[in-house]
Amino acid sequence: TWEGRLELVHQHFGNFHGVLGLQASSGEFSATGEEAFIPVTDSTEFGLFLVEDYHAGDWTFEGGLRMDWDERDPDTMTADKEDFSSLSLSASALWDVNSEWSMGLALSRAERAPAIEELYSNVEGSGPEDWVVHAATGAIELGNADLDTEVSTTADFSVSWLSGGHRATVTVFYNDFADYINLANTGLEADEVPVLAYEQQDAEFYGVEVDTRFSLGTLGGGEVGLEVFFDSISGELDDGSNIPRMPPMRIGGRLDWTTDQLQLWTRVVDADDQDDPGVNEEETEGYTRWDAGVDFNLPLGDNSLDLFFAVKNIGDEEIRLSTSFLRDLAPEAGRSIEGGIRYNF
């Protein structure tokens, strides 16, 4: 792949700051051998973009515009060259209410062309006897050369608080897709291997994220800090079915004790059951994972040496991620020990 990018940046134009640019790339994707399931494909992409921000007292406004033109040209008789044009827009406003509180609203319309694998996976196979398994997912994936661009309209609203050693951010979001590209489980198998197919239909996502950190004071010459986080996301296709391989609701925290050279920490994550797995997908059980570790920093003049040691999944939980294609074959690692040395210079 060859890629180039040109930017024209202006620092001050009234209260505006921004950049006008173009980006172009040209490449050839190829995979060879018995495991290859995507034909050799030439890809050309060209984009023109403008990003601006405007400052007015306690307000900051940002806007963006991007036009893209994409071409996919497979070297095969079973699929045609495809051309796509897409338009993306974004706008946001940030209000610094006072020295501690801020609020932000962001709106965007993002459009993208289908990727090579979404269009042409196994496109040369005439049937199950010719389909090739994608080793990374342990499944047969069938592309769809008739896919159109995917359009996402998003709104998210956030409230942030920062005071001394404390901070907290809460974000809620809604994402409406037109022609969402989804790798769906067909429920079929070929030689006991699941068959997945790229398909398109409208979809919507919504959720909330919470990220906090609190300073709990000093103890034994070190600062004690507590982080708490929470996230939840739901997704539904236009036909009423659930989006496959979605993460479950999670809540967690991290407690640490830090000096200039030493940090002791422990972290816990509790994930709920994923009982909305999507069509032809299996439900996954929740889990509680504990990790703990110690980090030591040794200054060496202008350089430094970091030593770190951690015990992960202390409870030896069996964790099968709902987001993983290989969850039935390969769970996450059980109890494990990790150590290392890092030299910074």
Side-chain angles (χ1 to χ4, degrees), residues 9 95 109 125 189 264 282 314:
V9 180
W95 178 31
R109 177 202 189 270
E189 291 188 349
L264 306 177
E282 295 292 332
I314 296 172

Side-chain angles (χ1 to χ4, degrees), residues 220-271:
E223 294 288 335
V224 180
L226 173 66
E227 297 179 10
V228 178
F229 71 88
F230 169 82
D231 54 64
S232 175
I233 181 172
S234 299
E236 187 176 279
L237 294 167
D238 194 45
D239 63 8
S241 62
N242 295 303
I243 304 287
R245 297 175 299 280
M246 293 285 287
M249 182 176 66
R250 302 186 311 158
I251 187 170
R254 172 185 163 113
L255 182 67
D256 55 60
W257 178 83
T258 307
T259 68
D260 291 339
Q261 293 182 271
L262 182 66
Q263 182 178 79
L264 306 177
W265 58 269
T266 184
R267 184 174 187 264
V268 61
V269 178
D270 183 76

Side-chain angles (χ1 to χ4, degrees), residues 20-101:
L20 173 67
L22 60 88
Q23 184 174 359
S25 67
S26 178
E28 180 186 78
F29 173 87
S30 64
T32 59
E34 294 182 359
E35 297 82 9
F37 61 93
I38 301 175
V40 175
T41 304
D42 292 327
S43 182
T44 303
E45 301 175 355
F46 182 82
L48 180 65
F49 59 90
L50 174 66
V51 179
E52 295 285 337
D53 64 78
Y54 177 80
H55 300 270
D58 296 329
W59 289 84
T60 300
F61 301 94
E62 295 183 349
L65 167 68
R66 182 178 177 109
M67 286 290 299
D68 285 283
W69 295 268
D70 301 271
E71 179 183 275
R72 312 279 190 248
D73 188 6
D75 184 14
T76 178
M77 299 295 292
T78 58
D80 298 326
K81 179 176 70 173
E82 300 290 342
D83 296 288
F84 304 93
S85 60
S86 54
L87 171 67
S88 297
L89 304 165
S90 65
S92 66
L94 176 65
W95 178 31
D96 293 322
V97 181
N98 52 42
S99 61
E100 296 184 351
W101 290 89

